[in-house]
Amino acid sequence: MSARKKITLSEEEIRFMIEESTDGEESTDGEEEIQDESDSSTCSSENEDEFSSSDDENVLPSDWTRKGKSKLPFTFRGDSGVKFIIIDKENPMEYFAKFFDEVIDYLVTETNRYAGEFLDENGDRLSSQSRVNRWYDTDACEMKLFVGLLILQGIDSKLENSMYFTSRESIATPFYRKVMSGRRFDLLQKFLHLVDNATITDGPGRKTAKIKPFTDLILKKFRENYIPRKNISIDESLMGWKGNLSWVQYIPAKRKKFGIKFFELCESSTGYIWNFCIYSGKNTTFLDKYKNLPVTSRVVMSLMDPLLGKGYCLYTDNFYTSPTLADMLVDNETETVGTLRLTRKDVPAFIKNAKLKKGETVAAFRNKSMVLKWKDKKDVCVLSTLHDDSMKIVKSRRGHEKSKPKAIEDYNNNMGGVDLSDNLMVHFSTARNRLKKYYKKVFRHMLDMCLLNAFITYKMLGGKFPRREFTLRLAERMVSTYARRNKDAIRRPTRLVAKPSRLFERHFPEYCPPTEKKQKPLRKCALCRKNGKRKETSYWCKECDVGLCAAPCFKEWHTQE
């Protein structure tokens, strides 16, 4: 037996070792946290073992072999599919209701509670003209109407919320003002709340206390309404947020580089979001039975826990994949395929050190696991419990044929579940960049997730409409079903805005229409009022909806800018 000798590491390997946390699996490829929560910047003894190798690169550890036999995959026993019954399969409201109806009742309770607490604490300091004095408790009907308008705003995107309710003709969308006044909409946005503040206490979950009851309720509906098919994937997703929050992450590879990080488990083929957890640093909540595992293994095992033992095949990237994690998943009758960092513990030394030419492969086998290294433009290493080292002829985008390991081809086809859901949610998103409270951004992000999952189940049950039509029909149905005229609904604007079309359309003076009280009513002349005069007239312009003196005001109104 040859003696162990000291290994010389490259600058890149040393830098990676320093960035790794003590468990050797916590840093993200291409990711950098804003707040460094690592207690140590040096490698522990476990890290040293992970990066150590044999004196002779051709010597294998006793449990790895160069040749392996094909392993039969685990029998899939997941009861996959949609778990609810729909009466009208072309009615988008029925699908969305399965995910959000219970949430609506929760939002009504917490919003009314928070508004009451705010008025009790600040009532003495509010001016008599404050809009808050006009608050009255909301109900499920109005909250659904509010959510319907949010969904519609995701399709009809404008820079500011006030632009949806303006009467300025060039940008006006009268539909919104017919459904709900801008003042009431703003009050619902202001007092929208996701938790009873009295229940928030200091402790491990303090960072996410304002959103956890709400996200737990959403997560429950995701799991109840659909069971994913065999191929699933786990990856990170980033909800854009640049506010002052201690657990904001910076990920350069993402479209929005700053934000709140979600660990998500999605179905590979559709992007259905089945499980997720929100990263909040050391206080991130995982299942207690996995507390002794490295962080990345805790993420995977906590998200996978309800699906273990059912023959699922999990795809992960090199942030999560390790031989130790693969062994744990195999013990729970779960296959795994993922790219692998060569610096992971238990990776054979000869795999790490092998110098390959383009197209060549080298593999090692242990029990049901295989580690394979393949040279393409650069070295690619993959771990699989489902494949052997066989190759497959594939066509590139330009039609060229080349040989590629089957494990890598399957990984490319099934790893993109989380990316697929992220790409779909970008379109028609209700989230806005300028929200001042992070929990309101989380609320809108959860709403987007519900809309996506509702659409996926709609397509599963044979729906024919594309996503834009599905979303638009959902918003229209919600508004038409729950819209109601009340004292706060439609109101003439307090500030008169002249319509640009008055200068080029054909407008004619008419007598003011009779009302219930008067047969010949009078109106204030708009032009006189604009000039600081108070004058009433019996004439008006129907198209401009303003009172005008017959002469000379009517002519001047329609000819002068």
Side-chain angles (χ1 to χ4, degrees):
M1 181 70 68
S2 59
R4 174 170 291 193
K5 65 180 182 180
K6 186 176 180 181
I7 299 172
T8 302
L9 299 176
S10 66
E11 292 183 2
E12 182 178 355
E13 289 174 327
I14 294 172
R15 185 168 60 254
F16 175 77
M17 289 173 63
I18 292 175
E19 292 175 351
E20 285 279 287
S21 60
T22 55
D23 56 26
E25 295 185 11
E26 290 193 11
S27 74
T28 313
D29 188 23
E31 296 186 13
E32 177 185 345
E33 296 184 3
I34 286 183
Q35 293 202 353
D36 184 11
E37 298 184 344
S38 174
D39 295 331
S40 169
S41 60
T42 58
C43 295
S44 65
S45 59
E46 183 178 354
N47 290 101
E48 292 171 359
D49 290 341
E50 180 177 351
F51 286 93
S52 64
S53 64
S54 173
D55 180 32
D56 183 357
E57 68 177 36
N58 294 318
V59 175
L60 281 170
S62 58
D63 51 351
W64 288 96
T65 61
R66 289 182 179 274
K67 293 184 179 180
K69 298 180 180 179
S70 298
K71 306 293 184 180
L72 292 176
F74 295 120
T75 302
F76 179 62
R77 298 191 298 275
D79 185 20
S80 57
V82 179
K83 299 304 173 186
F84 54 78
I85 298 175
I86 295 295
I87 298 175
D88 182 3
K89 292 189 176 182
E90 292 303 321
N91 182 1
M93 266 183 60
E94 291 199 32
Y95 297 88
F96 183 68
K98 297 296 182 182
F99 292 90
F100 220 73
D101 261 10
E102 188 176 339
V103 179
I104 289 288
D105 296 331
Y106 178 82
L107 289 174
V108 169
T109 301
E110 298 305 330
T111 298
N112 287 336
R113 177 187 284 120
Y114 176 66
E117 292 173 353
F118 181 89
L119 290 170
D120 291 341
E121 293 177 6
N122 301 282
D124 296 338
R125 297 195 295 269
L126 296 173
S127 69
S128 59
Q129 301 300 320
S130 174
R131 61 175 181 170
V132 175
N133 291 325
R134 299 179 181 271
W135 169 262
Y136 54 87
D137 282 354
T138 186
D139 56 22
C141 180
E142 187 179 41
M143 186 60 72
K144 289 177 182 178
L145 181 60
F146 172 73
V147 170
L149 290 178
L150 288 179
I151 296 171
L152 193 60
Q153 288 179 0
I155 301 174
D156 178 26
S157 181
K158 296 188 179 184
L159 294 177
E160 295 179 359
N161 183 65
S162 60
M163 297 175 70
Y164 292 102
F165 298 93
T166 183
S167 59
R168 189 166 187 166
E169 186 187 37
S170 57
I171 59 171
T173 313
F175 179 78
Y176 291 92
R177 286 184 289 119
K178 291 178 181 179
V179 172
M180 181 184 291
S181 72
R183 178 163 48 196
R184 182 60 180 173
F185 188 89
D186 289 342
L187 281 174
L188 288 171
Q189 279 199 127
K190 176 179 177 60
F191 290 123
L192 181 71
H193 215 63
L194 309 181
V195 71
D196 181 2
N197 288 336
T199 63
I200 298 177
T201 57
D202 292 333
R206 178 67 176 83
K207 289 184 177 181
T208 57
K210 275 191 173 291
I211 57 176
K212 184 165 177 52
F214 174 73
T215 57
D216 285 349
L217 187 57
I218 293 284
L219 184 56
K220 173 189 170 188
K221 306 309 291 186
F222 286 178
R223 292 183 185 179
E224 287 179 354
N225 290 331
Y226 183 76
I227 302 297
R229 289 175 284 196
K230 181 176 180 178
N231 292 329
I232 53 180
S233 61
I234 289 178
D235 205 353
E236 303 100 43
S237 175
L238 202 68
M239 184 200 81
W241 179 260
K242 288 187 177 181
N244 185 15
L245 203 63
S246 63
W247 32 289
V248 164
Q249 297 288 290
Y250 171 65
I251 306 180
K254 297 294 184 181
R255 179 173 173 268
K256 294 185 177 180
K257 304 183 188 308
F258 291 90
I260 298 173
K261 183 162 72 175
F262 288 69
F263 295 111
E264 293 181 359
L265 185 156
C266 296
E267 187 177 62
S268 296
S269 57
T270 63
Y272 183 94
I273 304 167
W274 193 81
N275 201 354
F276 65 84
C277 71
I278 299 176
Y279 176 78
S280 58
K282 289 185 176 180
N283 292 322
T284 306
T285 304
F286 300 112
L287 296 182
D288 288 340
K289 60 182 175 180
Y290 303 119
K291 63 183 179 181
N292 294 325
L293 299 178
V295 172
T296 51
S297 297
R298 263 183 280 168
V299 172
V300 173
M301 297 304 290
S302 295
L303 293 178
M304 280 294 300
D305 189 71
L307 301 179
L308 294 176
K310 298 180 180 179
Y312 278 90
C313 183
L314 173 66
Y315 291 82
T316 57
D317 64 17
N318 60 19
F319 176 53
Y320 307 94
T321 312
S322 70
T324 305
L325 176 62
D327 292 341
M328 284 190 290
L329 291 172
V330 168
D331 291 341
N332 288 278
E333 296 186 32
T334 302
E335 307 283 2
T336 183
V337 181
T339 51
L340 179 67
R341 295 177 183 175
L342 291 174
T343 49
R344 291 294 192 203
K345 190 175 181 180
D346 289 342
V347 175
F350 91 99
I351 294 286
K352 299 179 185 179
N353 302 325
K355 305 296 182 183
L356 304 176
K357 296 180 180 179
K358 187 171 183 178
E360 291 182 343
T361 63
V362 61
F365 299 84
R366 181 178 74 179
N367 300 326
K368 207 172 185 301
S369 299
M370 175 201 69
V371 173
L372 179 141
K373 185 178 179 180
W374 173 59
K375 180 75 170 184
D376 190 28
K377 291 182 179 179
K378 59 181 181 178
D379 288 338
V380 180
C381 189
V382 65
L383 183 150
S384 175
T385 63
L386 189 62
H387 302 88
D388 54 21
D389 57 352
S390 60
M391 307 293 284
K392 180 180 180 181
I393 303 297
V394 297
K395 283 188 176 182
S396 67
R397 293 179 180 178
R398 297 184 179 180
H400 303 301
E401 291 186 349
K402 72 173 182 177
S403 181
K404 180 183 290 189
K406 192 173 186 305
I408 293 177
E409 176 67 10
D410 285 350
Y411 173 85
N412 291 339
N413 292 335
N414 293 287
M415 179 56 206
V418 177
D419 290 337
L420 176 60
S421 65
D422 284 348
N423 291 337
L424 290 173
M425 280 198 297
V426 167
H427 305 288
F428 323 124
S429 174
T430 63
R432 292 290 179 267
N433 291 331
R434 296 185 179 181
L435 294 172
K436 295 182 180 180
K437 303 291 186 181
Y438 82 91
Y439 61 84
K440 294 183 180 180
K441 183 72 174 282
V442 171
F443 162 75
R444 294 196 180 212
H445 188 70
M446 294 288 110
L447 176 58
D448 289 339
M449 293 169 74
C450 289
L451 289 169
L452 175 62
N453 282 354
F455 174 71
I456 291 172
T457 55
Y458 165 76
K459 298 298 283 187
M460 288 282 184
L461 296 179
K464 299 178 181 179
F465 294 123
R467 184 157 174 253
R468 180 178 61 183
E469 185 65 20
F470 172 87
T471 308
L472 187 57
R473 284 175 177 252
L474 170 61
E476 290 174 343
R477 288 237 185 173
M478 290 186 72
V479 170
S480 62
T481 301
Y482 301 110
R484 60 188 179 185
R485 289 179 177 269
N486 54 35
K487 61 180 182 180
D488 215 33
I490 306 173
R491 214 165 256 178
R492 183 169 295 147
T494 56
R495 186 173 62 87
L496 184 64
V497 180
K499 297 181 179 181
S501 60
R502 77 192 191 283
L503 301 174
F504 53 82
E505 290 183 349
R506 301 183 68 185
H507 293 193
F508 300 96
E510 299 179 15
Y511 286 110
C512 295
T515 63
E516 295 180 359
K517 296 182 178 180
K518 293 184 179 181
Q519 286 296 316
K520 295 182 179 181
L522 299 177
R523 283 197 176 194
K524 294 177 182 178
C525 175
L527 189 59
C528 291
R529 185 174 62 174
K530 187 176 180 181
N531 295 329
K533 301 177 183 178
R534 179 180 178 88
K535 190 173 180 181
E536 293 184 341
T537 176
S538 59
Y539 294 95
W540 77 317
C541 177
K542 182 178 180 180
E543 286 74 15
C544 294
D545 191 22
V546 293
L548 291 166
C549 298
C553 295
F554 193 93
K555 180 180 178 180
E556 291 182 8
W557 178 266
H558 290 92
T559 56
Q560 297 180 9
E561 294 187 8

